[in-house]
Amino acid sequence: MTALARWCLRRRIVVIVLWLAAFAGVAVAAGVTGAAYSNNYEVPGTESGQASARMAKAFPDRSGDSDTLVWHTDSGTVRSAAVKKTMRHTLEKIAGLPGVSEVQSPYGSHADGPGARQISKDGRTAYASVLFDRRTDDLDAAQVQKVVDTAQTASRPGLQVELGGAGIALTEAPRAQLPEIIGLCAAAVVLFLAFGSLAATFLPIITALAAVGTASAGIALLSHAMTVADFAPMLGMLIGLGVGIDYALFIVTRHRKGLREGLPVDEAATRAVAVSGRAVVFAGATVCIALLGMLILRLSFLNGVALAASLTVVLTVAAAVTLLPALLGLIGMRALSRRERRRLAEHGPRPERTTGIAARWSGFVERHPKLLGTVAAAVMLALALPAFGLHLGTSDQGNNPATSTTRKAYDLLAGDGRGSGFGPGSNGPLTLVGTLDGAKDRIAFDALPDRLRDTPGVARVSRPVFDGNHNTGLITVVPTSSPQSRQTSDLVERLRTEVLPEAGGAATLRVQVGGITASYDDFASLIVGKLPLFIGVVIALGSVLLLLAFRSIGIPLKAALMNVAAVASSFGIVVAVFQWGWGSELLGLGSAGPIEPFLPVIMVSVLFGLSMDYQVFLVSRMYEEWQLTHNNRRAVRVGLAETSRVINSAAVIMIAVFGAFVLSGDRIIAMFGIGLAAAVALDAFVLRTLLVPALMHLLGGANWWLPSWLDRWLPRISIEPPPEPGAVRLPGPQDGEKPLVRA
């Protein structure tokens, strides 16, 4: 690290130009190729995945996605001449738009024809299916917007026109720039309050932006090589801005300390990278390891997210140890505030004193470890209680903000249960795909709708549709419950295990349940089944890293326990806000609904990595003091006093950045934002500055115990370099010792 820092300082202009060239090159390549993000939850091998593949092969004309145009009259019916004229003209215009392959109108030539099923019982609501010529992932958002604009021109007093579906949702894209700007402004305020220097304030922000900008363009290129979710770039940005600014903060703080001690600029920057840079690399490695743990799930949807987020973290670490020292050398003494520079010129370097609130708080924790530890544990447990009611499922457009057209269309289709609308299940019908081999199978499949209509939980069943060879049949089943409800999941299970196996009888008929709702259920079940293995692997890998770094059994065990506590408590808050709906509408996040099935996996990865960051920065200072004095009380007190201020400043920045993403307008990103902001707040202000030091005081020397045979066997790695020459180390203090003075 020392050699790298010196090289970057000597060739600072070269380093800056290389970063600019890398960013420009990747950005241009991403601009030329575009992005190919995908939200395909289907997993090959699952029943819904097999049904989708069979349907795409047998019915290629249905491979494009279908969205819905809904209209509702306040008085009269949709069959009135005025409404018919308006909507027929509108549907004809939409059918002629680019990207639209077909529009299925409810105004057929026969009153008892297929279109009659697209008008509600009370006659006040109707819908048309708008079929696009390609899948949602391949749709042009501009073409979809033309469909929306054309449809909404038909709206007038007494006639409401709304649109819903996955394609229409492209026109309600998240507000990506707003949370970035708010988060960066909040981070700049915290940095300026901490540093008092504009030059030092903007260095962490510039470093993080360089890394995140390059990573965002790189993720767009990655989307052409593998499945990458459309929220991956924003998730990477959320993580990258948070950790990138924090990593730079730790290095700049150490650099400023060196300047105040009278070191030349280059020497102070070199030592800052050599000391804090090691911890940054180690912390970044733990975040990447936790993120890459998602690869063991072997789900293409999550593989792309893991690699995208890891790429962002790798680039933030690289920027912190290369671009940042070059910038530190460029601004020179301006890393200090004017007051600090004037004081240094007038009085010369002075010893650093650990005083103020941090020192007093550290002493307070030392004197009352049992009381404070109990209070902290009670707070974490209370916040974790809602997590026991966690319901994993996929939210749909019924959870969108009440002002969005997709939410209004969803509510109009669902109706109020008294003849208005078509029932909640119409927003997520099931698709039954039958593989037919011979006349017996076709007869059995023809008789299947009658059996399905008597099945509890089924509202409507369509007539069978066959492909040209009559080798594949298709039936649409509309549940009585909404797509995200437990009752719909129960219906899918009942169809698969009871109804469909019995319906085949003596025939060889094989029917698979597919559709978006079934694919969500399969995806959730797969993740839930592998979640214990995933969490175990992430905890084990993190514990091994801490074992190697701190050569202690107790430190990794406490870290694992604290990480689990942070995850559980943050999930409790996420459940309260999104699943119970506490304030979700007020925040513009839509109504209450289930928690996305992939959220636990991604959040566990990110939170374990971020929690490990604070553990490393806190305990590495304690470990350094323990090695010098072998006095546990001093090690814990000094470590907490000297690191709590920078950890708390870093936490405030992360909370501001993560919290700002609640304003993105995207429910999934908002879940990540609230969950991560809550976890960081609890980790920094409850766990690392309260519960962890309290436990370490209570355990005493047992914190650092390691069996001698294991000590000989383990390889040695060091986060902190050897002590700097000339540093004054005082002997172990007694109770009530005055603040530590360091030369």
Side-chain angles (χ1 to χ4, degrees):
M1 294 301 296
T2 301
L4 176 63
R6 286 175 178 165
W7 188 90
C8 293
L9 283 161
R10 286 197 304 268
R11 296 170 175 80
R12 60 195 66 167
I13 301 301
V14 173
V15 172
I16 295 172
V17 170
L18 286 175
W19 268 99
L20 289 174
F23 170 72
V26 178
V28 169
V32 171
T33 60
Y37 301 120
S38 171
N39 282 345
N40 184 8
Y41 289 84
E42 291 178 358
V43 182
T46 61
E47 182 169 328
S48 59
Q50 294 172 354
S52 176
R54 179 81 184 180
M55 179 178 169
K57 182 178 180 181
F59 302 96
D61 57 323
R62 296 174 180 250
S63 59
D65 283 329
S66 173
D67 287 53
T68 306
L69 191 156
V70 191
W71 57 98
H72 174 81
T73 59
D74 294 334
S75 60
T77 73
V78 296
R79 293 187 176 93
S80 68
V83 174
K84 269 190 177 183
K85 181 179 179 181
T86 299
M87 295 312 302
R88 275 179 169 169
H89 178 65
T90 301
L91 295 177
E92 287 173 2
K93 289 172 64 177
I94 291 174
L97 291 175
V100 178
S101 63
E102 183 184 354
V103 175
Q104 298 174 352
S105 169
Y107 300 128
S109 57
H110 302 286
D112 59 348
R117 294 192 295 270
Q118 294 173 229
I119 298 177
S120 62
K121 291 181 180 179
D122 64 359
R124 296 173 60 184
T125 305
Y127 73 89
S129 297
V130 180
L131 277 71
F132 291 103
D133 58 6
R134 67 197 75 177
R135 295 178 63 88
T136 299
D137 295 335
D138 302 321
L139 284 176
D140 183 350
Q143 292 180 346
V144 179
Q145 186 62 55
K146 287 183 180 179
V147 172
V148 175
D149 295 339
T150 303
Q152 292 186 337
T153 57
S155 294
R156 64 173 189 242
L159 178 61
Q160 180 184 3
V161 181
E162 307 293 347
L163 299 97
I168 303 301
L170 296 175
T171 64
E172 298 175 339
R175 301 182 292 273
Q177 294 182 346
L178 179 62
E180 297 171 40
I181 295 171
I182 293 176
L184 290 175
C185 290
V189 171
V190 176
L191 289 169
F192 184 74
L193 293 176
F195 295 153
S197 163
L198 280 176
T201 294
F202 286 111
L203 286 191
I205 294 176
I206 292 172
T207 304
L209 285 176
V212 169
T214 307
S216 295
I219 293 171
L221 295 177
L222 182 67
S223 67
H224 293 281
M226 62 189 307
T227 301
V228 178
D230 63 355
F231 64 82
M234 191 171 287
L235 176 63
M237 193 177 302
L238 184 151
I239 298 170
L241 288 178
V243 302
I245 294 174
D246 273 13
Y247 290 166
L249 168 67
F250 291 126
I251 293 177
V252 173
T253 299
R254 182 71 72 129
H255 172 70
R256 283 165 43 82
K257 177 183 176 183
L259 293 179
R260 289 194 300 269
E261 291 175 348
L263 294 176
V265 172
D266 284 8
E267 185 62 26
T270 299
R271 289 194 180 184
V273 175
V275 178
S276 294
R278 289 177 180 231
V280 164
V281 171
F282 186 86
T286 60
V287 176
C288 289
I289 288 173
L291 288 169
L292 294 176
M294 284 190 276
L295 297 179
I296 67 172
L297 297 176
R298 302 180 68 181
L299 297 173
S300 60
F301 180 82
L302 292 179
N303 291 346
V305 174
L307 291 177
S310 298
L311 173 64
T312 307
V313 174
V314 168
L315 288 177
T316 58
V317 172
V321 297
T322 57
L323 179 60
L324 183 57
L327 294 174
L328 289 173
L330 199 64
I331 67 170
M333 293 298 295
R334 284 175 294 171
L336 298 178
S337 66
R338 291 183 180 179
R339 180 185 300 176
E340 289 172 322
R341 296 200 300 269
R342 186 167 54 249
R343 184 185 303 141
L344 186 63
E346 292 175 357
H347 304 289
R350 289 189 172 187
E352 290 283 331
R353 292 177 177 268
T354 305
T355 58
I357 296 177
R360 291 195 294 272
W361 175 256
S362 181
F364 182 68
V365 173
E366 181 184 10
R367 293 190 298 273
H368 307 285
K370 292 182 180 179
L371 173 63
L372 296 177
T374 302
V375 170
V379 169
M380 299 299 291
L381 179 60
L383 292 174
L385 288 177
F388 289 99
L390 176 67
H391 168 43
L392 293 180
T394 301
S395 56
D396 52 35
Q397 293 180 348
N399 300 112
N400 288 357
T403 56
S404 65
T405 186
T406 50
R407 168 70 178 276
K408 292 175 182 177
Y410 185 100
D411 291 342
L412 288 176
L413 279 176
D416 57 10
R418 297 191 299 272
S420 174
F422 304 88
S426 59
N427 285 293
L430 304 176
T431 303
L432 273 57
V433 182
T435 303
L436 314 178
D437 184 15
K440 286 186 178 180
D441 287 359
R442 297 186 191 101
I443 294 172
F445 195 77
D446 257 329
L448 187 56
D450 294 332
R451 187 181 187 92
L452 291 171
R453 290 187 185 98
D454 298 330
T455 302
V458 173
R460 297 189 305 278
V461 183
S462 72
R463 291 196 295 263
V465 177
F466 299 95
D467 66 341
N469 299 321
H470 278 66
N471 293 327
T472 303
L474 187 67
I475 296 174
T476 300
V477 175
V478 178
T480 57
S481 50
S482 66
Q484 61 184 251
S485 70
R486 294 181 187 270
Q487 290 85 349
T488 304
S489 298
D490 293 340
L491 174 61
V492 172
E493 183 67 18
R494 190 181 308 118
L495 291 174
R496 288 174 171 175
T497 59
E498 300 175 14
V499 179
L500 296 178
E502 295 175 2
T508 59
L509 174 67
R510 184 186 174 206
V511 183
Q512 296 169 315
V513 181
I516 190 67
T517 304
S519 67
Y520 286 160
D521 283 348
D522 289 344
F523 185 73
S525 299
L526 197 61
I527 286 184
V528 170
K530 294 184 177 182
L531 194 57
L533 171 64
F534 167 73
I535 294 177
V537 169
V538 171
I539 291 177
L541 290 174
S543 298
V544 169
L545 283 176
L546 291 179
L547 176 64
L548 295 175
F550 299 116
R551 313 195 72 75
S552 160
I553 298 293
I555 297 299
L557 290 178
K558 282 196 297 295
L561 181 62
M562 296 302 105
N563 291 347
V564 170
V567 169
S569 298
S570 64
F571 264 103
I573 294 173
V574 169
V575 167
V577 174
F578 292 94
Q579 187 175 313
W580 295 355
W582 289 5
S584 59
E585 288 283 9
L586 186 64
L587 293 171
L589 303 176
S591 62
I595 305 302
E596 300 293 333
F598 54 80
L599 191 81
V601 174
I602 299 176
M603 275 193 60
V604 165
S605 299
V606 176
L607 291 180
F608 267 73
L610 297 182
S611 296
M612 206 70 77
D613 284 0
Y614 292 143
Q615 181 78 0
V616 168
F617 287 116
L618 173 66
V619 178
S620 61
R621 182 64 189 93
M622 294 178 178
Y623 183 58
E624 180 186 7
E625 202 66 31
W626 166 258
Q627 287 183 309
L628 292 167
T629 66
H630 285 277
N631 185 318
N632 181 73
R633 296 183 66 182
R634 174 189 174 88
V636 176
R637 182 172 67 252
V638 170
L640 178 60
E642 292 192 3
T643 61
S644 60
R645 181 179 177 183
V646 69
I647 286 177
N648 292 339
S649 297
V652 170
I653 291 172
M654 274 201 182
I655 293 167
V657 172
F658 293 157
F661 277 81
V662 175
L663 304 175
S664 67
D666 185 275
R667 180 180 173 86
I668 295 175
I669 292 298
M671 282 187 185
F672 284 120
I674 287 180
L676 294 175
V680 169
L682 293 171
D683 198 302
F685 300 116
V686 179
L687 295 180
R688 306 302 162 188
T689 58
L690 185 54
L691 187 54
V692 168
L695 287 176
M696 294 187 74
H697 277 302
L698 291 173
L699 292 174
N703 287 305
W704 315 103
W705 176 77
L706 182 71
S708 56
W709 63 268
L710 188 57
D711 185 47
R712 291 190 300 270
W713 180 78
L714 287 177
R716 294 185 178 274
I717 63 173
S718 175
I719 297 177
E720 294 280 352
E724 299 170 6
V728 177
R729 304 291 185 178
L730 302 179
Q734 303 301 317
D735 290 343
E737 179 192 35
K738 299 297 181 184
L740 176 66
V741 178
R742 305 175 68 82

